[in-house]
């Protein structure tokens, strides 16, 4: 009898698992399929074709997939290369605290390019992929103007504090905060527009709002000061670099595929105003699948006319880790990283640059999303990236990010799941 197992059966979504199939005939051709349904009812699937070894076993960590969603030896290929049944959907865990993603793993006899309800698997099992570790707390934050969710590891602490920011779609995205808190950090997933009673649209970056959030986090009895970390992607990285520049509380900053200039919205802080570079939206291009390629709407930041829009990164007193996907189709994030670093002392910054990685560099376990629909745009947006290069970049950069934050904020308490 064929059997498929996943070890451990329950795990954090950024941790590796081992998939094994036993009880096949030697050299039997089989299809392995992973599938999950997200909270909006959207199904994501990956499949790979294997021949069993002489012992009648298949182990994706040792055996090369012959084809399917990927080819070659990828221990986590069935998880990392999940694709939506409906084009342009992005896999995002929304209910981080309440439930895991349930990933169904099945093995079918022969080559199954598609599988329907009539196709019976030889064996199946289910993996739980959690975005919060056991004993963690999620605390909704609605204090003063600050809106978000605070993730606390179990125990008395105090824990190093981190503020987590996402980009131009707004709202509150919590999955990265939950995973980072599972590494022993106290993490505030911070919304800054299009959430609760915050402004529906982003008209300006009011840095005093982010200062209020930093002070709130540092006041928490379970947060260890005196400094904190910030991690941001896209527009959130623009905010993170601004926080590092002007807020002395910020001592460690992770900037993922952002800019080094204000774009679209001015930055306001006390009596300071940094004017934005306008978006040249008329330069947008439609791709062959009808998605928006925004890379041309950003003016060349090296034009002297835009010098007043630069974030004055030379004022940064802490450390910055720049994470770049060289296949980012949103904008030229490598250029922006290099322009910011040119203003900083070399010992205060470091660049991780990944060929083939796209805009949305996330913790491992999030499959590449190269095009997706986002709030506020009439068509899907191109993010870029090549699946295998992107997967490797996510695995490597996540370990580097955790180590960077531990190095500059002090050790965190690691959880096991």
């Amino acid at each position: 009898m064929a059997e498929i197992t996943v070890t451990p059966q329950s795990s954090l979504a950024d941790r590796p698992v081992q998939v094994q199939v036993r009880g096949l005939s030697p050299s039997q051709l089989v299809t392995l399929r992973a599938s999950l349904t997200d909270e909006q009812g959207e199904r994501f699937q990956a499949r790979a074709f294997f021949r069993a070894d002489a012992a009648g076993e298949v182990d994706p960590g040792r055996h090369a997939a012959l084809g399917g969603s990927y080819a070659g030896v990828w221990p986590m290929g069935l998880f990392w290369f999940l694709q939506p049944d409906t084009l342009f959907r992005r896999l995002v865990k929304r209910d981080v605290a309440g439930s895991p993603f349930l990933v169904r793993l099945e093995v079918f006899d022969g080559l199954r390019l598609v599988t329907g309800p009539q196709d019976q698997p030889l064996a199946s099992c289910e993996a739980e992929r959690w975005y919060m570790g056991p004993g963690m707390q999620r605390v909704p934050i609605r204090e003063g103007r600050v809106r978000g969710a605070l993730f606390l590891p179990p125990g008395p602490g105090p824990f190093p504090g981190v503020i987590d920011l996402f980009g131009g779609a707004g709202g509150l995205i919590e999955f990265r905060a939950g995973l980072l808190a599972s590494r022993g950090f106290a993490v505030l997933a911070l919304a800054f527009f299009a959430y609760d009673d915050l402004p529906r649209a982003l008209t300006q970056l009011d840095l005093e709002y982010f200062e209020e959030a930093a002070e709130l986090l540092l006041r928490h009895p379970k947060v260890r000061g005196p400094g904190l970390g910030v991690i941001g992607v896209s527009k959130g990285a623009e905010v993170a670099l601004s926080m590092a520049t002007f807020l002395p509380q910020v001592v460690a900053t992770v900037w993922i595929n952002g800019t080094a200039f204000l774009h679209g919205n001015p930055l306001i802080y006390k009596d300071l105003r940094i004017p934005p570079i306008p978006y040249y939206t008329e330069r947008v291009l439609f791709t062959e699948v009808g998605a928006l390629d925004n890379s041309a709407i950003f003016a060349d930041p090296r034009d002297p006319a835009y010098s007043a829009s630069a974030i004055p990164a030379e004022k940064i007193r802490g450390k910055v880790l720049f994470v770049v996907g060289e296949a980012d189709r949103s904008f030229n994030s490598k250029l922006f990283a290099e322009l910011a670093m040119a203003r900083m002392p070399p010992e205060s910054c470091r660049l991780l640059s990944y060929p083939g990685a796209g805009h949305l560099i996330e913790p491992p376990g999030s499959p590449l999303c190269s095009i997706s629909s986002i709030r506020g745009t009439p068509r899907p947006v191109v993010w870029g990236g090549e699946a295998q290069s992107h997967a490797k970049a996510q695995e490597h950069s996540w370990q580097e990010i955790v180590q960077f934050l531990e190095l500059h904020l002090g050790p965190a308490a690691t959880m096991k799941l």
Side-chain angles (χ1 to χ4, degrees):
M1 284 289 291
E3 175 192 33
I4 184 169
T5 57
V6 58
T7 311
Q9 187 267 330
S10 180
S11 60
L12 286 164
D14 62 342
R15 307 293 170 101
V17 295
Q18 184 179 26
V19 177
Q20 289 182 298
V21 183
R22 297 185 182 87
L24 302 171
S25 304
S27 302
Q28 184 176 349
L29 180 65
V30 293
T31 299
L32 267 58
R33 181 177 77 147
S35 60
L36 69 82
T37 302
D38 72 7
E39 290 116 328
Q40 297 181 322
E42 189 61 49
R43 189 172 65 169
F44 291 74
Q45 298 186 71
R47 68 185 63 223
F49 313 125
F50 293 89
R51 280 204 183 274
D53 66 12
E57 297 181 358
V58 170
D59 177 350
R62 293 188 293 119
H63 300 143
L66 305 172
S69 303
Y70 69 97
V73 179
W74 288 81
M76 293 295 292
L78 291 167
F79 295 82
W80 288 359
F81 302 122
L82 289 163
Q83 293 176 322
D85 284 6
T86 306
L87 287 175
F88 314 139
R89 293 287 196 271
R90 177 181 173 194
L91 184 62
V92 175
K93 190 76 175 79
R94 290 170 174 83
D95 176 17
V96 169
S99 63
F101 274 142
L102 297 174
V103 183
R104 182 171 169 82
L105 294 156
E106 298 165 296
V107 56
F108 296 90
D109 181 41
L111 183 72
R112 307 291 178 108
L113 298 178
V114 292
T115 38
Q118 73 284 359
D119 293 300
Q120 287 301 307
L122 300 172
S124 65
C125 67
E126 199 166 61
E128 295 181 359
R129 300 290 276 170
W130 288 89
Y131 287 78
M132 269 178 69
M136 279 179 52
Q137 276 182 286
R138 177 194 178 274
V139 183
I141 297 295
R142 208 172 191 279
E143 192 175 322
R145 293 191 296 162
V146 180
R147 302 289 179 266
L150 177 61
F151 290 85
L152 293 169
F159 307 105
V162 177
I163 292 175
D164 185 14
L165 301 160
F166 276 80
L172 183 63
I173 299 177
E174 304 176 26
F175 70 91
R176 186 172 61 197
L179 289 174
L180 207 47
S182 301
R183 302 279 183 153
F185 300 92
V187 186
L188 173 60
L190 182 63
F192 52 101
F193 74 102
Y195 177 75
D196 197 21
D197 58 352
L198 294 172
R200 298 312 301 163
L202 189 62
T203 55
Q204 62 181 33
L205 283 184
D206 176 4
L207 207 60
E208 290 186 45
Y209 173 80
F210 299 95
E211 184 174 47
E212 190 180 330
E215 289 168 350
L216 180 151
L217 184 59
L218 284 168
R219 275 199 310 271
H220 195 283
K222 287 195 175 182
V223 174
R224 181 174 76 218
L228 52 78
V230 181
I231 180 170
V233 63
S234 197
K235 192 70 174 180
E238 192 176 295
V239 176
L241 197 67
S242 303
M243 292 174 72
T245 299
F246 294 109
L247 306 183
Q249 304 96 319
V250 177
V251 299
T253 303
V254 179
W255 173 107
I256 304 169
N257 286 330
T259 76
F261 290 68
L262 271 296
H263 282 89
N265 327 100
L267 181 141
I268 310 292
Y269 183 54
K270 297 176 180 170
D271 55 359
L272 172 76
R273 182 183 187 276
I274 299 180
I277 302 175
Y279 294 122
Y280 292 91
T281 314
E282 66 275 16
R283 298 178 186 169
V284 70
L285 294 172
F286 301 142
T287 70
E288 64 278 6
V289 294
L292 303 178
D293 182 339
N294 287 324
S295 52
I297 75 173
F298 289 83
D300 186 342
R302 294 165 293 191
D303 185 328
Y306 302 128
S307 60
S309 299
I311 297 168
E314 65 275 7
K315 297 182 188 295
I316 294 174
R317 294 289 165 262
K319 307 291 186 186
V320 183
L321 179 65
F322 292 91
V323 179
V324 164
E326 294 180 13
D328 185 345
R329 292 273 294 281
S330 233
F331 41 78
N332 188 345
S333 46
K334 188 167 189 179
L335 172 63
F336 283 119
E338 289 168 346
L339 291 173
M341 292 173 72
R343 304 176 79 114
M344 300 171 64
E347 65 275 9
S348 65
C349 53
R350 181 169 165 231
L351 174 64
L352 295 174
S353 192
Y354 297 99
H359 186 64
L360 297 176
I361 294 179
E362 300 184 331
S366 291
L368 168 68
C369 176
S370 60
I371 304 176
S372 72
S373 304
I374 67 164
R375 181 189 356 238
T377 61
R379 296 184 182 213
V381 174
V382 177
W383 308 116
E386 182 276 311
Q388 297 196 357
S389 299
H390 194 86
K392 287 178 179 172
Q394 291 193 155
E395 183 180 39
H396 184 264
S397 63
W398 186 238
Q399 303 303 328
E400 293 287 334
I401 287 165
V402 171
Q403 289 171 16
F404 170 83
L405 292 171
E406 286 184 338
L407 178 63
H408 298 295
L409 301 176
T414 305
M415 302 180 61
K416 294 280 185 270
L417 179 59

